[in-house]
Amino acid sequence: MASRTPSRPVGTVTRGTTNPNRLRRMDRWIAATHGAELRRSPDPVAVDLGYGAAPWTAAELLVRLRAAAPAARVVGVEIDPARVAAAKPYEREGLAFRHGGFEIPLPGRPALIRAANVLRQYDEEQVAAVWERLCGRLAPGGLLVEGTCDEIGRRHVWVALGPGGPRSVTFATRLGSLDRPSDLAERLPKALIHRNVPGEPVHAFLRDFDRAWAAAAPYASYGARQRWIRTVRELAADWPVLDRDTRWRQGEVTVRWEALAPRQG
């Protein structure tokens, strides 16, 4: 029997905070790591879930994805109907806005769902169910990216998930703003932010990250980028780092999800 679309959007209204270029780090990572999959997709639709009080992030996502996948299209989805009405005048070829929530009110399955700063207001216990619901809406080979950033996009941490669940965690920052890597702890996604305590893997990871950063202090004379690259190379000796220095140079590092996943209970 065909599933029935919920009569009301699933979820609750967020604060709607948004700024131009706030999600640029996440967007560039998506374009670099998922662009080939979008190019192969017969229907390369991306959803900007919970884009907020203004449509800037959805419009920017379209531009950045099309640099990697020229046929990509973006649908901004918002649970607040007033925000959808305000965004409608900005629609153009490849960019549309819809009223909805976690049910993702599209007729097909998107190749990408980006949910930035959406789950911060939810309880940690609700995250797994939301992830499962969103991953269940993905097309085969699709990607869900869920995470949190600061107001101007200097610091950002996100989880990448496929139809089978979480795969990786990416830490990204403007290196000139960083005192030490654990500064990123305040931007951990909801699934991890309350787990930054002794005994939890993410706490141990950030501790080791800070230690490697301190040991790489002599490289600071060559610039923050060279210090970061040296730090991540040292970190990769003990942690399952998934990317290479082409991404590290962007102020990023991606680690396998299983290494940072919360301990049960």
Side-chain angles (χ1 to χ4, degrees):
M1 189 168 90
S3 61
R4 186 166 59 88
T5 301
S7 58
R8 288 174 24 176
V10 178
T12 57
V13 177
T14 64
R15 291 186 304 159
T17 304
T18 187
N19 281 305
N21 267 332
R22 188 182 188 190
L23 302 182
R24 62 194 178 277
R25 299 181 194 283
M26 180 185 276
D27 290 352
R28 291 167 184 166
W29 182 88
I30 291 171
T33 62
H34 198 56
E37 185 64 39
L38 287 169
R39 289 193 297 273
R40 289 191 293 266
S41 172
D43 190 22
V45 175
V47 171
D48 184 10
L49 179 61
Y51 57 84
W56 320 136
T57 60
E60 291 166 353
L61 179 62
L62 178 64
V63 172
R64 290 166 186 151
L65 291 184
R66 284 196 164 178
R73 293 179 288 123
V74 171
V75 179
V77 173
E78 247 298 337
I79 200 167
D80 183 345
R83 295 174 186 170
V84 179
K88 283 287 185 180
Y90 295 89
E91 289 189 334
R92 61 178 187 270
E93 187 275 324
L95 180 64
F97 298 93
R98 299 286 183 269
H99 180 221
F102 296 139
E103 78 284 357
I104 308 296
L106 275 65
R109 295 182 179 274
L112 169 72
I113 300 173
R114 184 189 66 182
N117 303 300
V118 172
L119 296 186
R120 292 283 281 185
Q121 69 184 29
Y122 288 80
D123 293 334
E124 181 184 352
E125 293 74 19
Q126 297 175 283
V127 171
V130 172
W131 280 359
E132 183 176 7
R133 183 174 200 128
L134 294 177
C135 286
R137 291 289 289 118
L138 290 172
L143 183 73
L144 165 64
V145 182
E146 187 273 309
T148 304
C149 68
D150 66 1
E151 288 71 14
I152 57 175
R154 293 172 305 173
R155 298 173 184 174
H156 208 153
V157 187
W158 60 80
V159 181
L161 307 93
R167 298 171 176 171
S168 64
V169 184
T170 298
F171 298 78
T173 186
R174 185 171 69 83
L175 292 172
S177 73
L178 197 71
D179 181 37
R180 56 184 181 177
S182 61
D183 291 346
L184 287 161
E186 65 184 19
R187 299 301 165 183
L188 287 168
K190 194 67 176 191
L192 295 174
I193 194 164
H194 300 302
R195 301 298 183 130
N196 186 26
V197 294
E200 287 284 346
V202 71
H203 182 270
F205 173 78
L206 290 171
R207 177 202 63 205
D208 289 356
F209 209 164
D210 279 353
R211 288 175 177 171
W213 179 255
Y219 288 81
S221 60
Y222 301 106
R225 177 176 293 151
Q226 292 304 315
R227 184 179 183 183
W228 177 270
I229 290 171
R230 177 66 183 184
T231 297
V232 176
R233 187 170 286 122
E234 181 73 19
L235 194 67
D238 298 309
W239 293 88
V241 171
L242 298 178
D243 49 8
R244 301 180 65 83
D245 57 3
T246 52
R247 300 311 306 172
W248 304 345
R249 291 181 61 83
Q250 309 299 317
E252 297 173 9
V253 60
T254 297
V255 182
R256 191 178 303 279
W257 164 258
E258 289 80 4
L260 304 186
R263 295 191 187 280
Q264 295 302 313

